[in-house]
Amino acid sequence: MESLLLISMGFPAMAGIILLVLAFSEHLRVIGSGKDFPGVEGEKTAEELPDREHEKAAQRMSGRSLSVYVGVTLILSVSFAMAAAWTGNYHIVLFQFLDNIPVYFHVDEAGKFFITIVAIVWLAVGMYSIPYMKHEGGEKRYYGFLLLCFSILTGFIFAGNLITMYFFYELITLVSMPFVMFHGTKEAVRAARKYLFYSLCGAYGGLFGIYFLYRYCGSLTFAAGGTLDMGAIHGHEGILLIAIFVMLVGFGVKAGMLPMHAWLPTAHPVAPSPASAALSAVIVKAGVIAIFRVVFYIVGADFLRGTWVQYVWMIFTLATVFMGSMLAFREQGFKKRLAYSTVSQISYILFGFSMLTPKAIEGALLHTAAHGVIKCGLFLTAGVFLYCLGYTKVDQLEGIGKKFPKVMWCYTICSLGLIGIPPTCGFVSKWYLALGSLQSDIAVFSWLGPVILLVSALLTAGYLLPITLKGFFPGNQEEKCSNPKESLKGKEISYGMLIPLMALSVLVILLGIFPKPFLSYINEIVISVLAH
């Protein structure tokens, strides 16, 4: 059954490559055929008209076939990944990279947790994309990279050692960058270059740390509690702490941690809305997962506890939480506001890890799941407004609740979850984060952490809830509309877009009302990584 691991990674990769080959072939046909280029059209003969109608009918049939192909492939890919995660603790060596470093995959408890989050978000994004991408174009190219990215994420999460994880970490950047530059505009290309530059610089920071860990660890294979060789590091603690700090900052780039956060609010708004949801809800968490693996499965919490690395790490995370919320509060672009919000919310998770206390780590892991579901829902909401009305600014959304009441209710539920209002899952995760901080007894940080989290929650309410209030109660002010594409007005939302959005909203509430099974599983992970 170990082959199930390979199937979970290989099946979506092959399906995505097929679509990318087809997209490239079509592009070559367009280049090679002069009739496909736009130009001055003369009068069409009677014989040409049926041909054009036949071509349109063929395109519609092709679109339906593509939707079926993507839907079925996505469901099977998610099913294979979940089966590999939850039907056994599989492990497999793909090949030997170095003498004692294999490319190795292993399903552990943390991997099961993370792949479940990715699977839920990716399924929602994929189903939402089927109707949404029909008006964007480039569907084969988009779906090809969507499936390929899921394959790489699966390999990243199931990685059994640090080298394998790093290899897939780099691939995540390469296969997600096409989402950022999807539209091909100058702004999109600049954002993609920025994303690539920041991500590669951060990855090199991680690689720098790997060189030192290879020398001072008994093994680079992930083991709960860490694998540091305490005899080997004696007398070299200082240089090892520097290497670990560089790793934290490097992997923190993908997570949007200060001071290397600038790529995120640039890249997310220019991508198609479902791709923005995937980037914000999942891709940025590659940095979170990498840090979690390094700290708790290679280095060990005991080695970092009480060191300058822990204190500086906490300062960076709290500064990011506050600054991200402030920037989101001031931003008027809807998707860019949500991107700045991601900068803040991801550092909630990193702050919980940096406390190195059981409750704080539980809260961080729970917030990893809560943020994935909530932020995916918020970006999909932004996609509805863009798809149906062409609205991209916050001040355009006054009175929008009258046009799309169901969508606005989903937005409101997700907003309450991000703020941390009961009975949503965001309340539970932030409660554990604050409780873990108070129980840490780390001088100033034991009370400064909850204070900044509370201030950030108030700022979050300040940049999310006014959209709900003005959306449902615009007052006497006439509804604003600066949309130049008047033909988009009145466009109805597809059920294919509404159903994933409603499902995510329901999940936000259910995880808040019934968190105990989820917390029990998270508690087992925390106990295992802190037991040593």
Side-chain angles (χ1 to χ4, degrees), residues 413-475:
I413 292 170
C414 290
S415 297
L416 294 175
L418 201 64
I419 297 165
I421 303 296
T424 63
C425 54
F427 168 77
V428 182
S429 63
K430 292 185 178 183
W431 175 270
Y432 273 78
L433 284 170
L435 192 62
S437 180
L438 291 170
Q439 292 178 350
S440 66
D441 297 326
I442 305 178
V444 176
F445 294 98
S446 61
W447 61 265
L448 182 61
V451 168
I452 291 183
L453 296 184
L454 178 60
V455 171
S456 175
L458 293 175
L459 289 171
T460 304
Y463 64 73
L464 290 180
L465 290 186
I467 297 175
T468 295
L469 296 175
K470 293 181 180 179
F472 282 119
F473 310 106

Side-chain angles (χ1 to χ4, degrees), residues 482-514:
S482 58
N483 175 30
K485 299 180 180 180
E486 294 295 327
S487 61
L488 289 177
K489 284 190 174 181
K491 197 170 185 179
E492 295 295 329
I493 180 175
S494 165
Y495 279 104
M497 295 165 63
L498 184 59
I499 290 174
L501 187 55
M502 295 177 68
L504 291 170
S505 302
V506 171
L507 197 57
V508 170
I509 296 176
L510 289 178
L511 288 176
I513 297 176
F514 307 106

Side-chain angles (χ1 to χ4, degrees), residues 303-453:
F303 183 74
L304 291 180
R305 189 174 286 112
T307 64
W308 65 269
V309 173
Q310 182 187 15
Y311 298 136
V312 176
W313 186 18
M314 286 189 287
I315 291 171
F316 277 14
T317 57
L318 290 177
T320 308
V321 167
F322 179 73
M323 291 303 299
S325 297
M326 284 293 296
L327 291 169
F329 185 80
R330 297 174 56 187
E331 178 60 46
Q332 291 302 307
F334 191 26
K335 287 177 69 175
K336 197 167 185 178
R337 176 177 289 190
L338 295 178
Y340 277 123
S341 172
T342 296
V343 171
S344 174
Q345 295 292 324
I346 293 298
S347 277
Y348 275 69
I349 302 169
L350 298 181
F351 173 69
F353 291 161
S354 70
M355 298 302 294
L356 304 177
T357 61
K359 291 296 181 184
I361 299 171
E362 287 178 24
L365 290 174
L366 183 58
H367 200 65
T368 303
H371 177 266
V373 175
I374 292 169
K375 193 51 66 75
C376 181
L378 289 174
F379 268 106
L380 297 188
T381 301
V384 171
F385 301 146
L386 180 62
Y387 175 87
C388 296
L389 299 169
Y391 291 171
T392 60
K393 300 292 185 181
V394 171
D395 60 3
Q396 293 175 311
L397 301 179
E398 293 189 17
I400 199 74
K402 296 181 179 180
K403 294 179 180 291
F404 303 110
K406 295 177 183 177
V407 176
M408 279 304 298
W409 275 113
C410 291
Y411 168 83
T412 302
I413 292 170
C414 290
S415 297
L416 294 175
L418 201 64
I419 297 165
I421 303 296
T424 63
C425 54
F427 168 77
V428 182
S429 63
K430 292 185 178 183
W431 175 270
Y432 273 78
L433 284 170
L435 192 62
S437 180
L438 291 170
Q439 292 178 350
S440 66
D441 297 326
I442 305 178
V444 176
F445 294 98
S446 61
W447 61 265
L448 182 61
V451 168
I452 291 183
L453 296 184

Side-chain angles (χ1 to χ4, degrees), residues 16-164:
I17 290 171
I18 289 171
L19 289 179
L20 292 176
V21 170
L22 291 175
F24 184 69
S25 300
E26 289 180 0
H27 179 67
L28 291 180
R29 284 200 298 270
V30 169
I31 293 176
S33 176
K35 69 178 183 179
D36 288 320
F37 285 100
V40 180
E41 295 186 5
E43 293 184 1
K44 297 177 177 61
T45 63
E47 290 80 7
E48 288 176 319
L49 289 174
D51 290 341
R52 182 57 59 86
E53 293 299 322
H54 177 74
E55 182 180 343
K56 291 180 179 179
Q59 289 175 350
R60 287 194 295 269
M61 181 63 69
S62 176
R64 286 194 291 269
S65 301
L66 179 61
S67 298
V68 172
Y69 176 86
V70 171
V72 172
T73 302
L74 190 61
I75 291 172
L76 287 175
S77 299
V78 168
S79 300
F80 287 143
M82 294 297 285
W86 293 99
T87 58
N89 293 325
Y90 303 121
H91 57 88
I92 188 170
V93 175
L94 193 59
F95 61 88
Q96 203 73 20
F97 182 70
L98 292 174
D99 291 339
N100 57 344
I101 302 179
V103 174
Y104 169 63
F105 300 96
H106 173 62
V107 179
D108 60 4
E109 300 306 310
K112 295 176 182 179
F113 172 75
F114 290 126
I115 196 63
T116 301
I117 299 170
V118 173
I120 291 172
V121 170
W122 226 255
L123 188 60
V125 167
M127 295 297 105
Y128 179 98
S129 298
I130 291 174
Y132 184 92
M133 291 305 297
K134 289 179 181 178
H135 89 288
E136 291 278 358
E139 293 172 81
K140 289 186 177 68
R141 175 163 50 97
Y142 170 84
Y143 292 128
F145 282 110
L146 189 73
L147 291 170
L148 191 59
C149 195
F150 181 76
S151 169
I152 300 302
L153 283 165
T154 304
F156 171 74
I157 291 171
F158 287 157
N161 60 32
L162 195 54
I163 296 297
T164 307

Side-chain angles (χ1 to χ4, degrees), residues 278-302:
L279 286 166
S280 187
V282 170
I283 299 299
V284 295
K285 291 190 177 66
V288 170
I289 295 171
I291 289 174
F292 181 75
R293 289 294 195 182
V294 168
V295 172
F296 298 106
Y297 285 82
I298 295 293
V299 176
D302 289 339

Side-chain angles (χ1 to χ4, degrees), residues 208-228:
F208 173 81
I210 290 175
Y211 289 135
F212 286 89
L213 291 177
Y214 177 71
R215 178 178 178 181
Y216 295 117
C217 286
S219 169
L220 292 183
T221 299
F222 295 136
T227 62
L228 279 182

